[in-house]
Amino acid sequence: MTTTITLEGADQRSPGVTAPEGFRASGVTAGLKASGRPDLALVVNDGPLQVGAAVFTTNRVVGHPVTWSRQAVADGVVSAVVLNSGGANVCTGPEGFLDVHRTAETVGAALGVSPGDVVVCSTGLIGERLPIETLLAGVEPARDALSTTGGPAAATAIMTTDTVAKTADMTVPGDDGVWHVGGMAKGAGMLAPGLATMLCVITTDAVVDAATADAALRTATRQTFDRVDSDGCMSTSDTVVLLASGASGVAPDPAAFAAAVTAVAAQLARQLVADAEGATHDIAITVAGAQTQDAALAVARAVSRSNLFKAAIYGNDPNWGRILASVGTVPEEVAAFDPAELDVSINGVMICRAGGAHAPRTDVRLAGQREVHVLVDLHAGDEVVTLWTNDLTHAYVTENSEYST
Amino acid sequence: MTTTITLEGADQRSPGVTAPEGFRASGVTAGLKASGRPDLALVVNDGPLQVGAAVFTTNRVVGHPVTWSRQAVADGVVSAVVLNSGGANVCTGPEGFLDVHRTAETVGAALGVSPGDVVVCSTGLIGERLPIETLLAGVEPARDALSTTGGPAAATAIMTTDTVAKTADMTVPGDDGVWHVGGMAKGAGMLAPGLATMLCVITTDAVVDAATADAALRTATRQTFDRVDSDGCMSTSDTVVLLASGASGVAPDPAAFAAAVTAVAAQLARQLVADAEGATHDIAITVAGAQTQDAALAVARAVSRSNLFKAAIYGNDPNWGRILASVGTVPEEVAAFDPAELDVSINGVMICRAGGAHAPRTDVRLAGQREVHVLVDLHAGDEVVTLWTNDLTHAYVTENSEYST
């Protein structure tokens, strides 16, 4: 049985990407957002190593920054990440790709690094070109603002509909010395697997090579961001980048390294869920008794995508019938279970046992509980997976019907 | 290239299941609903033929009535259908199955037919037992109310959150004489394929055998109910029954028969969409230029399940970026297309051409238009499919968070 990572809340004042040694970051207002809020962030790896790895959306319609950045990380070397809110640069034609190219060149020149080692991330409305001159004019001020305490400023500059900046960090005391992992993320809607978040940068001062970094990042995202499914909608821009500076001089065991990256990613993922658009409940759907992890995940995902279930939770209604109805949509070849053996608990109360009503609905307390824990036991094996989602609320509909994002 | 059936509105005063010769129907108040509204319906086939066919939900968690009715139609003989609202009899344990059995026996005795030829359909809340004595006490009054003009009364008695009764009929003038197809349906939520509707009864006085009836019904449901995806939620109770009395004495060509059944099913499916919970727009998503029907359907379904897209339409925002983002989630092995060649039109305005912005968003008129037509051209083949869905509204959230259904 594989243990599932628990997503825990994190201190919002974490230094984030500048927690590890060897990194500087900044967040400035270039003028891309009508609101005048910060909209351009830089994260720079001062080394000595310049190791980079990244995982991207599996959407076939991707932003030009994703196309660029896939190339940029291909050799395992990343010197800097530039991120902007105020425009996703997706479906913007060949000009949009040139805009990314110019951004990387401008950042490269400002920092004295190769444009090919600059990852570019953009988030905002799809289908409209960025005001590229405005963005480029912001690069020098962003470079000048770089600081070893700039993590929170960078995390603020990448917010779109987020209500809070999302940062996390971890200090790992090893036998050979202390090393760190830090991170920041943005994303409040269009959160669905492959990946769950729009943009995330994780940094570390551990000494790791590109292969170790890549493996750790894939392990981490599979267990964290890929297990957040806020609204079933997959973004065209999702990017998670891991940068390693090696500045601690400590080369941790690959498993310990992956665990630390996973822990920081889990904290960021949990913050994404907590800030999901319009949500009033964060819902952890745990599927136990599955034959495989994939089976458990498929069942959890089916439940997380049921608008009827999510609306019921919004109404504080422990409507387990809607849970069973969604569990039942998973094909037999994907997840083995006998519908007559399904148990469902909500917040610790087993309201459905062996496919039928058990404890009274009124025993389940939902009102006033931000966290809701749903446990579905398939009684078909030993695997357990937890997926996080949110309730479906009036505010979600308002936010996504009144504004183009 | 296969032509897609257009779902057109139908006269709400259609006699429905009693349009064909050889059928009687009724709808009465047994007392299952707290509201005191009609909640028990009977449809009786007076022959001379008693041919029956049915298609059921593909959900693995099914109501006891589905389990019973699968057996009842297995021999191709159906004498009557009894339908109740006020309780779905799903996940109600072994007692729930006995309740269905007793219902069929009571109806069989009242009508003088075999219980094994009685199809039972129930709709309402999952997980609570029906007040079975109340239901059984309603069978004799329902039998006494049977009439050759009872179609509308039966259609009214099966309503749950439906705001209007749904009936349709068709008269087919053949070379050998006139024959008819009629039908009724209920369903306003949990509308998703396999099948789209909760309950539907279609009748005909054509002379057909069980195999022809079954083939025609499968053709019809595949092109109609399976192409409605209101909220992505599959029911545990979906049942579509076709009864043939042969009373017209006309044995139509199987293709003509399937076409007529499809036309009536299409009218009912369109009525389901028009009455979907809380909807302000009915959205027809047409995917053209696909290599296969399945590919087109997969793309249309991905769009229909995007809460972000559906909320945007509610806000009268022609947010084509959200359409492309959902199209891009369809795997390459399921639907071939080049993201750089995608065109999107909304209500006749091509706002996205070759994967990028084209006509201005402001050219698209959505406000005040109940019907919204989205056309996605994949430029990969000649197949076209239309799927119907609805917008995601505050009223949907209200209806599904404030009431257990």
Side-chain angles (χ1 to χ4, degrees), chain A residues 58-71:
Chain A
T58 56
N59 203 308
R60 291 166 68 189
V61 175
V62 298
H64 294 300
V66 170
T67 307
W68 171 271
S69 298
R70 277 184 177 141
Q71 284 301 315

Side-chain angles (χ1 to χ4, degrees), chain B residues 124-147:
Chain B
L125 188 64
I126 295 174
E128 292 190 6
R129 272 190 75 191
L130 282 167
I132 187 66
E133 302 302 338
T134 306
L135 191 160
L136 297 180
V139 169
E140 285 211 9
R143 190 263 325 268
D144 295 343
L146 284 167
S147 127

Side-chain angles (χ1 to χ4, degrees), chain B residues 61-75:
Chain B
V61 175
V62 298
H64 293 301
V66 169
T67 307
W68 170 272
S69 298
R70 277 183 177 142
Q71 284 300 317
V73 301
D75 62 357

Side-chain angles (χ1 to χ4, degrees), chain A residues 15 56 68 145 274 294 310 336 369 378 395:
Chain A
F56 300 95
W68 171 271
D294 285 350
K310 288 153 70 103
Q369 310 284 311
L378 303 180

Side-chain angles (χ1 to χ4, degrees), chain A residues 202-302:
Chain A
I202 298 175
T203 53
T204 182
D205 49 19
V207 176
V208 291
D209 61 18
T212 304
D214 187 70
L217 187 61
R218 285 175 198 281
T219 297
T221 54
R222 202 164 47 237
Q223 293 194 51
T224 58
F225 299 114
D226 278 352
R227 292 192 181 163
V228 171
D229 194 334
S230 174
D231 61 2
C233 293
M234 187 198 290
S235 154
T236 54
S237 305
D238 295 329
T239 302
V240 180
V241 189
L242 172 62
L243 307 177
S245 71
S248 71
V250 181
D253 172 72
F257 180 66
V261 172
T262 302
V264 167
Q267 287 184 43
L268 294 171
R270 183 68 188 85
Q271 292 176 48
L272 293 173
V273 170
D275 196 28
E277 287 170 347
T280 67
H281 290 293
D282 306 339
I283 309 169
I285 301 165
T286 300
V287 176
Q291 282 191 349
T292 64
Q293 289 264 309
D294 285 350
L297 190 58
V299 171
R301 184 142 358 258

Side-chain angles (χ1 to χ4, degrees), chain B residues 243-320:
Chain B
L243 307 176
S245 71
S248 71
V250 181
D253 171 71
F257 178 66
V261 172
T262 301
V264 166
Q267 287 183 44
L268 294 171
R270 184 66 187 86
Q271 290 176 52
L272 292 174
V273 170
D275 196 26
E277 288 170 347
T280 66
H281 290 294
D282 307 340
I283 309 170
I285 301 166
T286 300
V287 175
Q291 281 190 350
T292 65
Q293 289 265 307
D294 284 350
L297 191 57
V299 171
R301 186 144 353 259
V303 177
S304 80
R305 296 207 172 165
S306 166
N307 281 348
L308 289 176
F309 160 69
K310 288 154 70 105
I313 296 298
Y314 173 47
N316 296 315
D317 171 15
N319 196 317
W320 60 270

Side-chain angles (χ1 to χ4, degrees), chain B residues 303-370:
Chain B
V303 177
S304 80
R305 296 207 172 165
S306 166
N307 281 348
L308 289 176
F309 160 69
K310 288 154 70 105
I313 296 298
Y314 173 47
N316 296 315
D317 171 15
N319 196 317
W320 60 270
R322 293 180 181 174
I323 296 174
L324 284 203
S326 56
V327 170
T329 64
V330 179
E332 213 156 346
E333 60 272 23
V334 174
F337 60 82
D338 177 348
E341 290 191 1
L342 298 171
D343 297 339
V344 177
S345 299
I346 301 182
N347 283 352
V349 178
M350 190 184 284
I351 47 170
C352 165
R353 198 174 162 281
H358 193 58
R361 286 166 187 252
T362 46
D363 285 4
V364 180
R365 194 168 153 223
L366 287 170
Q369 310 283 311
R370 177 81 198 189

